[in-house]
Amino acid sequence: MNGARVGYARCSTDEQYVVIQTEQFLALGVPADRIYIGRGFSGTTRRNRAGLDQALAAVWDGTVFTVTKFDRFARNMAEANDILTDLSGRGVLFGLGASVYDWNDPFGRLFLQTLAMVAEFEANIGHQRPRGHGPGQRNGKLKGKQPKLPEPARRSIRRRYAEGEVSLADLALEYSVGRSTIHRIIHGPEACR
């Protein structure tokens, strides 16, 4: 398929850059004036996505509406389905990177529906993840995985190993931890304190 391409890039926040997506479009032969950018939106809804609306308005029969990653395009199965159905009805193919898919082809449709399903799933999972701004983190209670051994034991391990008293294997056996744990205690960033 050698149809003209129109690119759509999206970044979730205004601070993110779309330089990489733009470079990928240029490498695919998308003219710079046919690259449309949406900033500040997660992609879970189509509302207020001017860049997407401009890109969809810029395609015509025989063109390829192109994104670099499916989740840049849509993270909602119903909206992805609506947009892809509309594009197909207008004779527009869907490009994902260098690959081109026809929504009317059963295999192309299955693949794109699967990508839409995965993108929506990832968005839903993302909403369940802690954002790090809850009361636990503000009060210093959420600090990640705690060390397997308390600090006094770690100091003793470092001292004894440095003095040549014991080997890594002996320390691991004595403290009932793996050799990798002892290695991290002796050679890890906290050993420099």
Side-chain angles (χ1 to χ4, degrees), residues 70 73-78 80-81 84 103 110-122:
F70 194 88
F73 161 64
R75 300 189 80 181
N76 174 303
M77 286 180 58
N81 184 62
L84 290 166
W103 185 245
L110 174 65
F111 180 70
L112 294 175
Q113 286 174 329
T114 302
L115 291 178
M117 180 178 59
V118 170
E120 183 172 316
F121 173 74
E122 288 176 341

Side-chain angles (χ1 to χ4, degrees), residues 112-159:
L112 294 175
Q113 286 174 329
T114 302
L115 291 178
M117 180 178 59
V118 170
E120 183 172 316
F121 173 74
E122 288 176 341
N124 290 337
I125 292 294
H127 293 300
Q128 293 179 346
R129 290 185 191 123
R131 298 287 184 229
H133 302 292
Q137 187 161 0
R138 280 195 300 269
N139 297 331
K141 293 182 181 175
L142 300 176
K143 296 182 180 178
K145 187 175 178 182
Q146 297 300 311
K148 290 184 179 181
L149 297 172
E151 182 56 36
R154 294 194 309 260
R155 278 195 304 266
S156 175
I157 288 169
R158 286 190 289 269
R159 180 189 52 78

Side-chain angles (χ1 to χ4, degrees), residues 5-11 17-30 34-38 49 52 64-74 94-101 111-112 115:
R5 287 181 179 257
V6 172
Y8 173 66
R10 179 184 64 78
C11 58
Y17 296 104
V18 293
V19 173
I20 294 172
Q21 292 177 69
T22 302
E23 288 173 352
Q24 290 172 337
F25 286 133
L26 295 173
L28 290 169
V30 179
R34 292 280 179 194
I35 299 173
Y36 298 88
I37 299 171
R49 290 178 64 188
L52 177 60
V64 179
F65 177 87
T66 307
V67 294
T68 57
K69 288 175 53 183
F70 194 88
D71 67 356
R72 300 293 88 197
F73 161 64
F94 184 80
L96 182 57
S99 301
V100 177
Y101 300 94
F111 180 70
L112 294 175
L115 291 178

Side-chain angles (χ1 to χ4, degrees), residues 139-190:
N139 297 331
K141 293 182 181 175
L142 300 176
K143 296 182 180 178
K145 187 175 178 182
Q146 297 300 311
K148 290 184 179 181
L149 297 172
E151 182 56 36
R154 294 194 309 260
R155 278 195 304 266
S156 175
I157 288 169
R158 286 190 289 269
R159 180 189 52 78
R160 290 173 62 203
Y161 185 79
E163 293 172 359
E165 286 183 32
V166 290
S167 68
L168 281 172
D170 292 337
L171 288 166
L173 185 62
E174 179 181 337
Y175 287 94
S176 300
V177 294
R179 288 176 58 165
S180 61
T181 299
I182 299 298
H183 187 269
R184 278 192 302 274
I185 290 171
I186 293 169
H187 301 291
E190 66 181 22

Side-chain angles (χ1 to χ4, degrees), residues 10-18 37-42:
R10 179 184 64 78
C11 58
S12 300
T13 63
D14 290 329
E15 293 80 30
Q16 290 178 324
Y17 296 104
V18 293
I37 299 171
R39 285 188 170 86
F41 301 102
S42 69

